[in-house]
């Protein structure tokens, strides 16, 4: 997989720079043609000599340097199969998002058409700063892949998110980036977010779904090579990069949108929290206060169950959001809705379910006539989505 692959590792100035040494050494051992570009600040944390020894090539630091291997350093380094940024600082992300090229590494980024795999590492406040988050969003929209920083003790002693991801995780993501996505050629329809069932022009019945889980799944499906259509209920999240998005409001609109696309897709994943009931009548004008009110509700159509009745060769994945008897209810939904897989989500647990950035999941699926279970402990919705896509791809291969 690595033989003949040109990888440029860009190292920015952060304490995590020393971890780049292990990754560069590993890439060299795997047979990759690895070049290193360092910022001057990175060289304060790890010496260019170390990186030269590990990569087996001169290390580029200066955009004007024509003394070594490079003809035009930033252009030569930009010409690669993968641009790996490890670690990426808040400053590097800001420069890349806004097109600055005032040193070798940022100019290399500007000059490159290669896929970018970026592992940020910085203090929690810098990572959470709206400017940094906006820069990450911009770069994601341009197709960059990010390896989320981990939680834990930071260099300053504080606890929080910002540590460079584990080296093993980084290696796995590099492998994923260099091989063809396991879902290439598959068309995936995903749903996300809540539905809003209007009572009158200003009030609706809804739920706490933010769309984060479904949007993370859409990004992971795209990164795994699939063609993705996301049918989203009301959510303030921006459209994921490279994903076709169709926004709807009510359960009925979601039903219609899903059915319109069903024939043309291979996999359906329903992460949306679809209302089970809607008001029997929608008042055309705002309801005025006048003593007691009661609301008559009628059932919405169960989208997933209706798909299960016409399953054909589709691979159907449901979610089950429960507060008790998680696995029993999830298994019941798997069977009743005729699904291939159900992702059980105990929404009563801290760190799981609605709105947050993390989740805790158990997946039930059928294989060779047996019911199997795979647990996913507390982790970010983005990371667990990546793992779920790998599981779905494996199941499709086995089918
Ligand atoms: O969006 P977030 O804030 O990130 O929160 C994520 C989540 C908690 C919403 C998500 O992880 C989740 O659990 N989604 C499913 C929520 C849900 O509605 O579960 P359910 O057990 O009520 O429904 C079972 C399955 O049937 C779901 O796949 C649902 O999409 C589907 N369904 C339900 C009702 C209906 N009328 N039509 C359906 O297709």
């Amino acid at each position: 997989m690595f033989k003949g692959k040109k990888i440029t590792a860009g190292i920015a100035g952060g304490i995590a720079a020393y971890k780049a040494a292990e990754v560069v050494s590993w890439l060299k051992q795997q047979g990759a043609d690895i070049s290193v570009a360092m910022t001057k600040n990175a060289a304060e944390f790890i010496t260019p000599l170390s990186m030269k020894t590990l990569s087996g090539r001169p290390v580029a630091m200066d955009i004007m340097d024509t003394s070594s291997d490079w003809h035009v350093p930033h252009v030569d380094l930009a010409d690669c199969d993968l641009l790996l940024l490890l670690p990426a600082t808040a400053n590097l992300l800001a420069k890349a998002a806004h097109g600055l090229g005032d040193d070798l590494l940022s100019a290399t980024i500007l000059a490159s058409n290669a896929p970018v795999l970026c592992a940020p590492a910085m203090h929690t406040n810098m990572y959470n700063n709206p400017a940094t988050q906006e820069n990450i969003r911009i770069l994601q929209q341009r197709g960059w892949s990010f390896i989320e920083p981990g939680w834990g003790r930071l260099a300053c002693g504080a606890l929080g998110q910002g540590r460079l991801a584990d080296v093993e995780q980084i290696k796995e993501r590099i492998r994923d980036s260099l091989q063809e996505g396991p879902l290439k050629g598959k068309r995936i329809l995903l749903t996300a977010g809540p539905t809003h069932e209007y009572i009158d022009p200003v009030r609706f019945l809804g739920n706490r779904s933010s769309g984060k889980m479904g949007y993370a799944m859409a990004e992971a499906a795209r990164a795994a090579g699939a063609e993705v259509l996301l049918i989203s209920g009301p959510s303030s999240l921006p459209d994921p990069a490279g994903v076709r998005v169709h926004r709807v409001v009510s359960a009925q609109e979601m039903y219609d949108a899903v059915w319109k696309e069903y024939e043309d897709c291979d996999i359906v994943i329903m992460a949306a929290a679809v209302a089970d009931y809607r008001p029997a009548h929608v008042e055309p004008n705002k309801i005025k206060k006048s003593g007691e009110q009661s609301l008559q509700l009628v059932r919405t159509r169960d989208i997933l169950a209706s798909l299960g009745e016409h399953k054909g060769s589709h691979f159907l994945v449901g979610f089950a959001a429960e507060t008790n008897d998680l696995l029993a209810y999830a298994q019941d939904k798997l069977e009743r809705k005729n699904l291939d897989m159900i992702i059980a989500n105990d929404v009563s647990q801290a760190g799981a379910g609605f709105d947050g950035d993390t989740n805790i999941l158990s997946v039930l699926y059928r294989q060779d006539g047996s019911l199997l279970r795979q647990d996913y402990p507390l982790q970010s919705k983005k990371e667990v989505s990546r793992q779920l896509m790998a599981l779905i791809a494996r199941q499709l291969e086995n089918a």
Side-chain angles (χ1 to χ4, degrees), residues 191-194 207-214 251 270-276 300-305 317-322 333 337 342-343 345 347 353-356 359 361 381:
T191 65
N207 60 67
R208 290 175 46 223
S209 172
S210 60
K212 285 180 183 173
M213 189 67 223
M270 292 274 314
V274 187
D276 291 319
T300 57
R301 291 202 257 189
D302 191 314
I303 306 167
L304 195 50
V317 182
F319 270 72
E322 309 291 348
K333 284 175 185 169
K337 301 192 187 197
I342 191 135
I343 302 171
N345 198 174
V347 293
F354 293 102
D355 199 28
N359 217 343
L361 302 169
K381 286 179 176 171

Side-chain angles (χ1 to χ4, degrees), residues 253-300:
E253 284 176 21
M254 189 171 279
Y255 178 96
D256 293 339
V258 168
W259 266 102
K260 191 158 170 258
E261 302 286 345
Y262 186 49
E263 274 312 305
D264 291 335
C265 66
D266 306 297
I267 303 168
V268 178
I269 305 172
M270 292 274 314
V274 187
D276 291 319
Y277 290 91
R278 64 175 171 80
H281 306 287
V282 183
E283 289 297 329
N285 296 314
K286 185 181 170 194
I287 300 168
K288 293 292 173 201
K289 282 195 285 282
S290 62
E292 298 288 312
Q293 292 273 359
S294 64
L295 195 58
Q296 197 196 345
L297 300 176
V298 293
R299 287 290 304 266
T300 57

Side-chain angles (χ1 to χ4, degrees), residues 112-277:
S112 185
N113 291 323
V116 181
L117 181 60
C118 178
M122 65 198 75
H123 185 267
T124 308
N125 293 350
M126 294 174 86
Y127 183 66
N128 289 335
N129 189 293
T132 304
Q133 288 301 315
E134 176 64 10
N135 291 333
I136 290 174
R137 200 183 63 73
I138 290 171
L139 295 166
Q140 279 174 330
Q141 294 282 352
R142 289 183 200 150
W144 283 33
S145 298
F146 280 82
I147 312 175
E148 282 201 311
W151 275 271
R153 195 162 297 285
L154 306 171
C156 63
L159 279 172
Q161 189 179 15
R163 295 162 58 124
L164 188 75
D166 283 346
V167 167
E168 288 310 313
Q169 192 190 342
I170 293 170
K171 291 179 185 172
E172 195 186 325
R173 293 291 301 275
I174 295 171
R175 274 192 215 98
D176 287 353
S177 304
L178 290 177
Q179 65 193 7
E180 216 168 55
L183 291 171
K184 191 165 169 59
K186 299 289 178 204
R187 288 158 302 175
I188 301 190
L189 190 166
L190 258 147
T191 65
T195 63
H196 288 176
E197 310 302 325
Y198 272 83
I199 299 168
D200 70 12
V202 298
R203 303 179 180 95
F204 57 80
L205 297 175
N207 60 67
R208 290 175 46 223
S209 172
S210 60
K212 285 180 183 173
M213 189 67 223
Y215 280 57
M217 295 281 284
E219 277 170 17
R222 182 75 199 94
E227 191 186 315
V228 186
L229 167 64
L230 175 65
I231 297 176
S232 172
S235 166
S236 58
L237 299 176
D239 293 357
V243 169
R244 190 156 62 94
V245 181
H246 181 158
R247 294 194 185 251
V248 297
V249 175
S250 65
Q252 182 61 43
E253 284 176 21
M254 189 171 279
Y255 178 96
D256 293 339
V258 168
W259 266 102
K260 191 158 170 258
E261 302 286 345
Y262 186 49
E263 274 312 305
D264 291 335
C265 66
D266 306 297
I267 303 168
V268 178
I269 305 172
M270 292 274 314
V274 187
D276 291 319
Y277 290 91

